Amino acid sequence: MQFADRLNRLPPYLFVGINQRIAELRSQGQDIISFAIGDPDLPTPVGIIKHLCCAAQDPANHKYPETKGLPQLRQAIAGWYARRFGVLLDPDTEVLPLIGSKEGIGHIALCFVEPGDIALVPDPGYPPFSLGVIIAGGELYSMPLYEWNDFLPDFNTIPEQIVNKAKFMWLNYPNNPTGAIADVGFFARAIKFAKEHNIAICHDAAYSEISFNSYKPPSFLNALGAKEVGVEFHSLSKTYNMTGWRIGMVVGNSKIIEALFHVKSNLDSGIPQAIQEAAIEALSGFSPDYAIARNVILQRRRDELVHALAAIGIEARVPKATFYIWAKVPLGYHSVDFATKLLDEVGIAVTPGIGYGKCGDDYIRFSLTIPDERLEQGVTRLSHWHWRKK
Ligand SMILES: *Cc1c(COP(=O)(O)O)cnc(C)c1O
């Protein structure tokens, strides 16, 4: 049997390796505290689950779902965007539900990229941005995100011959893994660049609801002209602790939405309908107090961890959004060495920044999605860690 060559172009999925290593140490009886996985430890709110259970009993939901999503779901998504961002969307042409946003993120490259075409992706960045492009046979150009530029790409530094072959660009704010944010002014600059060079923009807003103090991240669609050039991906995963239920959406430019629907309608049969009904409940029936209470918990964890890191001489910016701490590894280390040292010496697992791209290699990522008591144990271990001694 012969496998396609494209499999060789795919790196192993980042978290597989880390999980194996953690499992190994655990099987040797070690207590490993994992800050490595970006998956909420808190459960899906009870009201949403009740709705899901009820909907599961209705035989109407036992059949193939509508690939385009229930009309009521598309309306609920449009309603949420109107209330949350003041963005108006046509539920029939500018909204498409996804089987988790990662599904759409992976497939959208098939809409833009012919073999040899270029996609502009952030480095560091969420791995599926690049993997979708590789599977589509495209080429990647990495836009470096530097701390001195607040982890925003500089479009002026992209060489002309790259720009000319670029078909679309990925942006992601609030950003995984850096925790950086972008304002509407930045989105406006991206839109100007995209219009000048006929490049589409895909913005990933998965973390728009995970933010601190009174900061409320904007939508890409809040920028003038956004709908002419791009779409925004969003997901119920982080917003409502629903990673396990697999439901997200893409909204914005109707031509892009139509193209992605064309691909998807040939590949999948939509989101199980009971889950669509749970999502309608989440998006329309749910009080904003829920997000506020959840963010208070995450903010307390954020502050404890950043504090503990600072006390032992490890620098990290205090993020205004996302549940990640992007910490700088000390001079003389790379991300994998330092993550390994941390795992071996104090039993703490983090994600090495190199997993998100070359520019991530000076950093490690801590996720705040671990129960309070485990986080506190981790913080205690960190406070007693003398990483400078051999
Ligand atoms: C978690 C995450 C998502 C959400 O993925 P789903 O498939 O909707 O669960 C999307 N983008 C980024 C950058 C993420 O970290």
Side-chain angles (χ1 to χ4, degrees), residues 348-384:
I348 288 178
V350 296
T351 316
I354 187 83
Y356 302 94
K358 270 199 215 99
C359 293
D361 202 20
D362 291 336
Y363 297 85
I364 49 177
R365 193 195 73 174
F366 289 80
S367 172
L368 300 171
T369 52
I370 75 171
D372 289 343
E373 61 278 12
R374 289 299 272 168
L375 182 114
E376 260 142 48
Q377 288 168 0
V379 161
T380 306
R381 288 188 194 180
L382 283 171
S383 331
H384 296 121

mmCIF file of all heavy atoms in Angstrom, residues 348-384:
data_model
loop_
_atom_site.group_PDB
_atom_site.id
_atom_site.type_symbol
_atom_site.label_atom_id
_atom_site.label_comp_id
_atom_site.label_asym_id
_atom_site.label_seq_id
_atom_site.Cartn_x
_atom_site.Cartn_y
_atom_site.Cartn_z
ATOM 1 N N ILE A 348 5.913 19.783 36.175
ATOM 2 C CA ILE A 348 4.917 20.681 35.594
ATOM 3 C C ILE A 348 5.017 20.603 34.074
ATOM 4 O O ILE A 348 6.100 20.765 33.505
ATOM 5 C CB ILE A 348 5.114 22.129 36.085
ATOM 6 C CG1 ILE A 348 4.680 22.223 37.554
ATOM 7 C CG2 ILE A 348 4.334 23.119 35.216
ATOM 8 C CD1 ILE A 348 4.879 23.584 38.167
ATOM 9 N N ALA A 349 3.882 20.328 33.424
ATOM 10 C CA ALA A 349 3.865 20.243 31.961
ATOM 11 C C ALA A 349 3.344 21.547 31.376
ATOM 12 O O ALA A 349 2.327 22.083 31.829
ATOM 13 C CB ALA A 349 2.979 19.085 31.517
ATOM 14 N N VAL A 350 4.085 22.062 30.393
ATOM 15 C CA VAL A 350 3.641 23.246 29.641
ATOM 16 C C VAL A 350 3.834 22.935 28.166
ATOM 17 O O VAL A 350 4.401 21.909 27.809
ATOM 18 C CB VAL A 350 4.463 24.510 30.012
ATOM 19 C CG1 VAL A 350 4.264 24.885 31.458
ATOM 20 C CG2 VAL A 350 5.946 24.312 29.684
ATOM 21 N N THR A 351 3.382 23.840 27.307
ATOM 22 C CA THR A 351 3.578 23.630 25.879
ATOM 23 C C THR A 351 4.787 24.434 25.412
ATOM 24 O O THR A 351 4.822 25.651 25.615
ATOM 25 C CB THR A 351 2.343 24.104 25.093
ATOM 26 O OG1 THR A 351 1.183 23.638 25.772
ATOM 27 C CG2 THR A 351 2.357 23.545 23.684
ATOM 28 N N PRO A 352 5.779 23.775 24.802
ATOM 29 C CA PRO A 352 6.921 24.522 24.260
ATOM 30 C C PRO A 352 6.461 25.398 23.094
ATOM 31 O O PRO A 352 5.721 24.943 22.220
ATOM 32 C CB PRO A 352 7.871 23.430 23.749
ATOM 33 C CG PRO A 352 7.327 22.126 24.262
ATOM 34 C CD PRO A 352 5.883 22.338 24.573
ATOM 35 N N GLY A 353 6.911 26.641 23.077
ATOM 36 C CA GLY A 353 6.453 27.593 22.069
ATOM 37 C C GLY A 353 6.772 27.189 20.641
ATOM 38 O O GLY A 353 6.063 27.577 19.712
ATOM 39 N N ILE A 354 7.812 26.395 20.437
ATOM 40 C CA ILE A 354 8.197 25.980 19.083
ATOM 41 C C ILE A 354 7.046 25.246 18.391
ATOM 42 O O ILE A 354 6.941 25.261 17.159
ATOM 43 C CB ILE A 354 9.470 25.092 19.113
ATOM 44 C CG1 ILE A 354 10.001 24.769 17.710
ATOM 45 C CG2 ILE A 354 9.228 23.772 19.838
ATOM 46 C CD1 ILE A 354 10.852 25.831 17.114
ATOM 47 N N GLY A 355 6.168 24.632 19.172
ATOM 48 C CA GLY A 355 5.012 23.936 18.602
ATOM 49 C C GLY A 355 4.085 24.867 17.828
ATOM 50 O O GLY A 355 3.247 24.416 17.054
ATOM 51 N N TYR A 356 4.239 26.180 18.049
ATOM 52 C CA TYR A 356 3.391 27.153 17.343
ATOM 53 C C TYR A 356 4.152 27.883 16.255
ATOM 54 O O TYR A 356 3.628 28.798 15.628
ATOM 55 C CB TYR A 356 2.820 28.162 18.346
ATOM 56 C CG TYR A 356 2.024 27.500 19.421
ATOM 57 C CD1 TYR A 356 2.614 27.154 20.637
ATOM 58 C CD2 TYR A 356 0.692 27.158 19.214
ATOM 59 C CE1 TYR A 356 1.892 26.499 21.622
ATOM 60 C CE2 TYR A 356 -0.030 26.509 20.188
ATOM 61 C CZ TYR A 356 0.577 26.176 21.384
ATOM 62 O OH TYR A 356 -0.129 25.528 22.351
ATOM 63 N N GLY A 357 5.419 27.492 16.053
ATOM 64 C CA GLY A 357 6.218 28.148 15.019
ATOM 65 C C GLY A 357 7.570 28.567 15.564
ATOM 66 O O GLY A 357 7.776 28.625 16.774
ATOM 67 N N LYS A 358 8.490 28.839 14.624
ATOM 68 C CA LYS A 358 9.873 29.198 14.982
ATOM 69 C C LYS A 358 9.944 30.369 15.934
ATOM 70 O O LYS A 358 10.758 30.396 16.854
ATOM 71 C CB LYS A 358 10.640 29.613 13.710
ATOM 72 C CG LYS A 358 11.336 28.480 13.006
ATOM 73 C CD LYS A 358 12.412 29.082 12.089
ATOM 74 C CE LYS A 358 12.537 28.275 10.817
ATOM 75 N NZ LYS A 358 11.841 28.823 9.651
ATOM 76 N N CYS A 359 9.077 31.365 15.704
ATOM 77 C CA CYS A 359 9.133 32.571 16.540
ATOM 78 C C CYS A 359 8.617 32.308 17.955
ATOM 79 O O CYS A 359 8.696 33.178 18.809
ATOM 80 C CB CYS A 359 8.341 33.707 15.909
ATOM 81 S SG CYS A 359 9.079 34.281 14.393
ATOM 82 N N GLY A 360 8.081 31.116 18.169
ATOM 83 C CA GLY A 360 7.621 30.782 19.515
ATOM 84 C C GLY A 360 8.714 30.147 20.362
ATOM 85 O O GLY A 360 8.481 29.829 21.529
ATOM 86 N N ASP A 361 9.892 29.966 19.782
ATOM 87 C CA ASP A 361 10.894 29.135 20.458
ATOM 88 C C ASP A 361 11.508 29.756 21.708
ATOM 89 O O ASP A 361 12.190 29.077 22.463
ATOM 90 C CB ASP A 361 12.001 28.728 19.477
ATOM 91 C CG ASP A 361 12.736 27.484 19.942
ATOM 92 O OD1 ASP A 361 12.168 26.736 20.781
ATOM 93 O OD2 ASP A 361 13.875 27.265 19.510
ATOM 94 N N ASP A 362 11.263 31.044 21.939
ATOM 95 C CA ASP A 362 11.776 31.674 23.164
ATOM 96 C C ASP A 362 10.724 31.679 24.269
ATOM 97 O O ASP A 362 10.889 32.365 25.274
ATOM 98 C CB ASP A 362 12.202 33.124 22.879
ATOM 99 C CG ASP A 362 13.448 33.162 22.001
ATOM 100 O OD1 ASP A 362 14.204 32.173 21.990
ATOM 101 O OD2 ASP A 362 13.635 34.187 21.308
ATOM 102 N N TYR A 363 9.651 30.931 24.069
ATOM 103 C CA TYR A 363 8.540 31.007 25.018
ATOM 104 C C TYR A 363 7.991 29.620 25.366
ATOM 105 O O TYR A 363 8.169 28.658 24.611
ATOM 106 C CB TYR A 363 7.378 31.826 24.419
ATOM 107 C CG TYR A 363 7.730 33.258 24.131
ATOM 108 C CD1 TYR A 363 8.343 33.624 22.925
ATOM 109 C CD2 TYR A 363 7.466 34.259 25.064
ATOM 110 C CE1 TYR A 363 8.680 34.944 22.660
ATOM 111 C CE2 TYR A 363 7.792 35.585 24.800
ATOM 112 C CZ TYR A 363 8.404 35.923 23.602
ATOM 113 O OH TYR A 363 8.730 37.223 23.332
ATOM 114 N N ILE A 364 7.315 29.563 26.509
ATOM 115 C CA ILE A 364 6.491 28.397 26.832
ATOM 116 C C ILE A 364 5.083 28.904 27.150
ATOM 117 O O ILE A 364 4.920 30.045 27.585
ATOM 118 C CB ILE A 364 7.035 27.588 28.037
ATOM 119 C CG1 ILE A 364 7.359 28.510 29.212
ATOM 120 C CG2 ILE A 364 8.258 26.765 27.635
ATOM 121 C CD1 ILE A 364 7.833 27.792 30.464
ATOM 122 N N ARG A 365 4.095 28.051 26.892
ATOM 123 C CA ARG A 365 2.716 28.477 27.135
ATOM 124 C C ARG A 365 2.113 27.719 28.303
ATOM 125 O O ARG A 365 2.135 26.487 28.348
ATOM 126 C CB ARG A 365 1.856 28.236 25.890
ATOM 127 C CG ARG A 365 0.508 28.938 25.949
ATOM 128 C CD ARG A 365 -0.462 28.420 24.902
ATOM 129 N NE ARG A 365 -0.948 27.083 25.254
ATOM 130 C CZ ARG A 365 -1.897 26.427 24.594
ATOM 131 N NH1 ARG A 365 -2.443 26.970 23.523
ATOM 132 N NH2 ARG A 365 -2.271 25.217 24.976
ATOM 133 N N PHE A 366 1.606 28.474 29.277
ATOM 134 C CA PHE A 366 0.837 27.897 30.384
ATOM 135 C C PHE A 366 -0.641 28.138 30.081
ATOM 136 O O PHE A 366 -1.028 29.259 29.768
ATOM 137 C CB PHE A 366 1.132 28.615 31.705
ATOM 138 C CG PHE A 366 2.492 28.369 32.291
ATOM 139 C CD1 PHE A 366 3.611 29.050 31.821
ATOM 140 C CD2 PHE A 366 2.650 27.463 33.342
ATOM 141 C CE1 PHE A 366 4.865 28.836 32.385
ATOM 142 C CE2 PHE A 366 3.906 27.255 33.916
ATOM 143 C CZ PHE A 366 5.016 27.934 33.435
ATOM 144 N N SER A 367 -1.468 27.116 30.228
ATOM 145 C CA SER A 367 -2.905 27.305 30.110
ATOM 146 C C SER A 367 -3.507 27.358 31.514
ATOM 147 O O SER A 367 -3.108 26.605 32.401
ATOM 148 C CB SER A 367 -3.507 26.150 29.312
ATOM 149 O OG SER A 367 -4.911 26.253 29.369
ATOM 150 N N LEU A 368 -4.467 28.253 31.702
ATOM 151 C CA LEU A 368 -5.072 28.436 33.027
ATOM 152 C C LEU A 368 -6.274 27.530 33.249
ATOM 153 O O LEU A 368 -7.017 27.700 34.216
ATOM 154 C CB LEU A 368 -5.519 29.897 33.184
ATOM 155 C CG LEU A 368 -4.393 30.936 33.073
ATOM 156 C CD1 LEU A 368 -4.979 32.344 33.027
ATOM 157 C CD2 LEU A 368 -3.416 30.792 34.232
ATOM 158 N N THR A 369 -6.465 26.562 32.365
ATOM 159 C CA THR A 369 -7.656 25.723 32.442
ATOM 160 C C THR A 369 -7.434 24.499 33.324
ATOM 161 O O THR A 369 -7.705 23.371 32.918
ATOM 162 C CB THR A 369 -8.072 25.267 31.037
ATOM 163 O OG1 THR A 369 -6.930 24.679 30.408
ATOM 164 C CG2 THR A 369 -8.548 26.420 30.208
ATOM 165 N N ILE A 370 -6.895 24.722 34.521
ATOM 166 C CA ILE A 370 -6.768 23.604 35.454
ATOM 167 C C ILE A 370 -7.417 24.001 36.773
ATOM 168 O O ILE A 370 -7.451 25.185 37.128
ATOM 169 C CB ILE A 370 -5.304 23.145 35.644
ATOM 170 C CG1 ILE A 370 -4.500 24.101 36.512
ATOM 171 C CG2 ILE A 370 -4.606 22.998 34.301
ATOM 172 C CD1 ILE A 370 -3.133 23.503 36.859
ATOM 173 N N PRO A 371 -7.978 23.019 37.491
ATOM 174 C CA PRO A 371 -8.719 23.329 38.712
ATOM 175 C C PRO A 371 -7.870 24.145 39.700
ATOM 176 O O PRO A 371 -6.646 23.973 39.760
ATOM 177 C CB PRO A 371 -9.036 21.948 39.300
ATOM 178 C CG PRO A 371 -8.971 21.010 38.128
ATOM 179 C CD PRO A 371 -7.952 21.581 37.193
ATOM 180 N N ASP A 372 -8.525 25.022 40.461
ATOM 181 C CA ASP A 372 -7.825 25.915 41.384
ATOM 182 C C ASP A 372 -6.807 25.216 42.269
ATOM 183 O O ASP A 372 -5.693 25.690 42.431
ATOM 184 C CB ASP A 372 -8.840 26.635 42.290
ATOM 185 C CG ASP A 372 -9.649 27.666 41.529
ATOM 186 O OD1 ASP A 372 -9.219 28.057 40.413
ATOM 187 O OD2 ASP A 372 -10.708 28.074 42.038
ATOM 188 N N GLU A 373 -7.217 24.054 42.850
ATOM 189 C CA GLU A 373 -6.307 23.435 43.818
ATOM 190 C C GLU A 373 -5.053 22.895 43.122
ATOM 191 O O GLU A 373 -3.962 22.964 43.672
ATOM 192 C CB GLU A 373 -7.007 22.360 44.675
ATOM 193 C CG GLU A 373 -7.586 21.162 43.936
ATOM 194 C CD GLU A 373 -8.968 21.436 43.322
ATOM 195 O OE1 GLU A 373 -9.411 22.600 43.265
ATOM 196 O OE2 GLU A 373 -9.588 20.463 42.863
ATOM 197 N N ARG A 374 -5.202 22.434 41.893
ATOM 198 C CA ARG A 374 -4.029 21.977 41.135
ATOM 199 C C ARG A 374 -3.163 23.161 40.751
ATOM 200 O O ARG A 374 -1.931 23.093 40.806
ATOM 201 C CB ARG A 374 -4.465 21.228 39.867
ATOM 202 C CG ARG A 374 -5.071 19.879 40.131
ATOM 203 C CD ARG A 374 -4.107 18.945 40.810
ATOM 204 N NE ARG A 374 -3.276 18.201 39.860
ATOM 205 C CZ ARG A 374 -2.210 17.490 40.208
ATOM 206 N NH1 ARG A 374 -1.838 17.446 41.477
ATOM 207 N NH2 ARG A 374 -1.514 16.840 39.303
ATOM 208 N N LEU A 375 -3.796 24.243 40.354
ATOM 209 C CA LEU A 375 -3.039 25.438 40.005
ATOM 210 C C LEU A 375 -2.211 25.901 41.200
ATOM 211 O O LEU A 375 -1.035 26.230 41.081
ATOM 212 C CB LEU A 375 -3.973 26.558 39.557
ATOM 213 C CG LEU A 375 -3.242 27.839 39.134
ATOM 214 C CD1 LEU A 375 -3.423 28.101 37.642
ATOM 215 C CD2 LEU A 375 -3.684 29.052 39.924
ATOM 216 N N GLU A 376 -2.851 25.861 42.381
ATOM 217 C CA GLU A 376 -2.126 26.298 43.574
ATOM 218 C C GLU A 376 -0.939 25.387 43.889
ATOM 219 O O GLU A 376 0.132 25.864 44.255
ATOM 220 C CB GLU A 376 -3.068 26.412 44.764
ATOM 221 C CG GLU A 376 -3.452 27.865 44.988
ATOM 222 C CD GLU A 376 -4.893 28.066 45.414
ATOM 223 O OE1 GLU A 376 -5.341 27.363 46.339
ATOM 224 O OE2 GLU A 376 -5.561 28.918 44.793
ATOM 225 N N GLN A 377 -1.144 24.078 43.725
ATOM 226 C CA GLN A 377 -0.006 23.155 43.914
ATOM 227 C C GLN A 377 1.110 23.487 42.929
ATOM 228 O O GLN A 377 2.292 23.486 43.288
ATOM 229 C CB GLN A 377 -0.434 21.704 43.704
ATOM 230 C CG GLN A 377 -1.308 21.146 44.824
ATOM 231 C CD GLN A 377 -1.944 19.800 44.444
ATOM 232 O OE1 GLN A 377 -1.738 19.279 43.337
ATOM 233 N NE2 GLN A 377 -2.708 19.230 45.371
ATOM 234 N N GLY A 378 0.728 23.784 41.696
ATOM 235 C CA GLY A 378 1.706 24.128 40.672
ATOM 236 C C GLY A 378 2.461 25.391 41.042
ATOM 237 O O GLY A 378 3.688 25.466 40.909
ATOM 238 N N VAL A 379 1.712 26.380 41.525
ATOM 239 C CA VAL A 379 2.316 27.649 41.916
ATOM 240 C C VAL A 379 3.309 27.428 43.073
ATOM 241 O O VAL A 379 4.396 27.996 43.084
ATOM 242 C CB VAL A 379 1.200 28.660 42.288
ATOM 243 C CG1 VAL A 379 1.728 29.808 43.137
ATOM 244 C CG2 VAL A 379 0.543 29.193 41.015
ATOM 245 N N THR A 380 2.925 26.560 44.017
ATOM 246 C CA THR A 380 3.828 26.248 45.136
ATOM 247 C C THR A 380 5.111 25.598 44.624
ATOM 248 O O THR A 380 6.215 25.976 45.018
ATOM 249 C CB THR A 380 3.126 25.302 46.147
ATOM 250 O OG1 THR A 380 1.899 25.910 46.516
ATOM 251 C CG2 THR A 380 3.977 25.051 47.372
ATOM 252 N N ARG A 381 4.957 24.639 43.720
ATOM 253 C CA ARG A 381 6.158 24.001 43.155
ATOM 254 C C ARG A 381 7.047 25.024 42.462
ATOM 255 O O ARG A 381 8.272 24.997 42.613
ATOM 256 C CB ARG A 381 5.763 22.934 42.141
ATOM 257 C CG ARG A 381 5.167 21.697 42.776
ATOM 258 C CD ARG A 381 4.985 20.618 41.719
ATOM 259 N NE ARG A 381 4.127 19.554 42.203
ATOM 260 C CZ ARG A 381 3.803 18.479 41.493
ATOM 261 N NH1 ARG A 381 4.272 18.340 40.254
ATOM 262 N NH2 ARG A 381 3.022 17.548 41.999
ATOM 263 N N LEU A 382 6.427 25.925 41.709
ATOM 264 C CA LEU A 382 7.203 26.941 40.986
ATOM 265 C C LEU A 382 7.959 27.845 41.961
ATOM 266 O O LEU A 382 9.129 28.168 41.752
ATOM 267 C CB LEU A 382 6.294 27.800 40.107
ATOM 268 C CG LEU A 382 5.815 27.189 38.793
ATOM 269 C CD1 LEU A 382 4.754 28.076 38.148
ATOM 270 C CD2 LEU A 382 6.974 26.969 37.820
ATOM 271 N N SER A 383 7.285 28.231 43.048
ATOM 272 C CA SER A 383 7.923 29.158 43.993
ATOM 273 C C SER A 383 9.168 28.559 44.632
ATOM 274 O O SER A 383 10.046 29.290 45.061
ATOM 275 C CB SER A 383 6.971 29.581 45.106
ATOM 276 O OG SER A 383 5.657 29.553 44.679
ATOM 277 N N HIS A 384 9.184 27.225 44.729
ATOM 278 C CA HIS A 384 10.362 26.580 45.349
ATOM 279 C C HIS A 384 11.372 26.105 44.324
ATOM 280 O O HIS A 384 12.317 25.402 44.658
ATOM 281 C CB HIS A 384 9.915 25.396 46.217
ATOM 282 C CG HIS A 384 9.066 25.809 47.371
ATOM 283 N ND1 HIS A 384 7.778 25.350 47.567
ATOM 284 C CD2 HIS A 384 9.300 26.694 48.367
ATOM 285 C CE1 HIS A 384 7.267 25.913 48.639
ATOM 286 N NE2 HIS A 384 8.182 26.738 49.146
#
